[in-house]
Structure formats: structure tokens, C-alpha cells
Amino acid sequence: MSGIGVCAQIAAKDPERADRMWGMVLGEDGEYSLDRPARAMGRQLCDQCPLRVDCLSRALVSPVRDNTIIGGLSYEERTILARRVAKAFDTASRRIHKLSQPAVRDWLAGHPEIIICAKDARHQMWRQKKQRREPVSAQGTLF
Ligand code: SF4
């Protein structure tokens, strides 16, 4: 799919704002941090972006572990989504990079509810860990 993502349109006009919405912010102290309200806005814009399934499928088959929001999902949420996609393709999530990106894109386009489920599952895991008073960390390493 061609076109320009919403994030790229905003980055072209206001790169710092785009960093806040989809990435991290470099503070005056030299440390990076997350601007959570801005990221929430970025997630909402991803939900409406016409490139979303293309964007997400590329992130799944060419995975990078980082703190960015891609296709409206955090790294942990993309990890959960990758497991579900891999299962649908009858492969292991660590081998998801072997899948064809167009095939993953087309599958995601036909199963938009899976993207929402990945977000919900991440939230549920976080809540359960808090209830069990376990430390909350990344849910394993996929990539
Ligand atoms: S779906 Fe992808 S291309 Fe679109 S705004 Fe979100 S990160 Fe950018």
C-alpha cells in the first residue's frame, strides 16, 4: 500500500510533536521518557490511519524491540499480536519474520478484532500481575 501515514504527516510539520506521540522525548537532563497523554493521542490517530494494517504487518515481520508506538500498539502489544498471527499461520512467533508481509497484512485486514484483542490482553496481563503483586515487565521476548 502506498500513501503517507498520519505519523509521517505530523512529523513533517512538527517532528517533536511526532516524537512525543509515537516515540520518546529527550529531556533537558539527557534522559528519554514517555509522554503518555501524547502517546494516547498517537494511538487514537493510528486507529484512523489508512496505512494501519500495512504498518503493523511490516512491524511484525521486521520486528524491532523499542519504545515506539506502531500501528497503535506498543512493543508488548505487538508481541501479543505476533503470537496470535503466528498461531494463525501455524508457525512459532520467533519465526514470524519468515512470513510474507503482504500475507500478514491481508490476514490482519480480515481480522481487525485481533488488533483490539492484543491491546486488551496486554491490559489484562498487567492488571493480573498487579493483583498478584508481581513486578510488571515486558511479556517475554519475541524479537
Ligand atoms: S498506523 Fe503506522 S503509519 Fe499510521 S500513524 Fe500509526 S504508526 Fe504511523
Side-chain angles (χ1 to χ4, degrees):
M1 178 181 270
S2 61
I4 300 174
V6 176
C7 57
Q9 292 175 37
I10 291 177
K13 292 179 191 158
D14 188 343
E16 188 188 330
R17 183 171 170 227
D19 285 349
R20 288 183 175 278
M21 295 172 83
W22 286 279
M24 299 186 74
V25 183
L26 181 60
E28 290 178 7
D29 58 0
E31 296 292 324
Y32 282 94
S33 62
L34 303 181
D35 182 338
R36 296 188 186 282
R39 283 165 70 93
M41 208 178 299
R43 284 171 178 267
Q44 286 177 8
L45 291 176
C46 286
D47 289 347
Q48 301 159 25
C49 178
L51 301 185
R52 190 183 197 189
V53 288
D54 197 54
C55 173
L56 260 179
S57 58
R58 287 181 195 283
L60 292 178
V61 302
S62 304
V64 175
R65 182 173 190 155
D66 62 16
N67 266 318
T68 57
I69 296 292
I70 299 178
L73 303 185
S74 65
Y75 169 79
E76 289 81 8
E77 292 162 344
R78 296 195 302 274
T79 301
I80 293 167
L81 179 63
R83 289 190 188 122
R84 295 183 178 191
V85 170
K87 189 174 179 185
F89 280 82
D90 199 23
T91 190
S93 55
R94 68 180 181 282
R95 297 181 59 81
I96 197 168
H97 62 284
K98 300 273 187 190
L99 296 177
S100 135
Q101 182 264 328
V104 172
R105 177 197 62 210
D106 292 348
W107 189 87
L108 283 176
H111 300 82
E113 74 284 356
I114 296 294
I115 300 171
I116 297 166
C117 285
K119 276 188 182 180
D120 290 347
R122 169 69 181 145
H123 181 72
Q124 289 297 330
M125 273 194 247
W126 185 88
R127 180 182 287 172
Q128 287 166 6
K129 278 185 173 258
K130 291 299 265 184
Q131 286 171 340
R132 292 195 301 261
R133 299 184 183 183
E134 292 176 10
V136 177
S137 59
Q139 303 299 315
T141 302
L142 168 68
F143 308 134

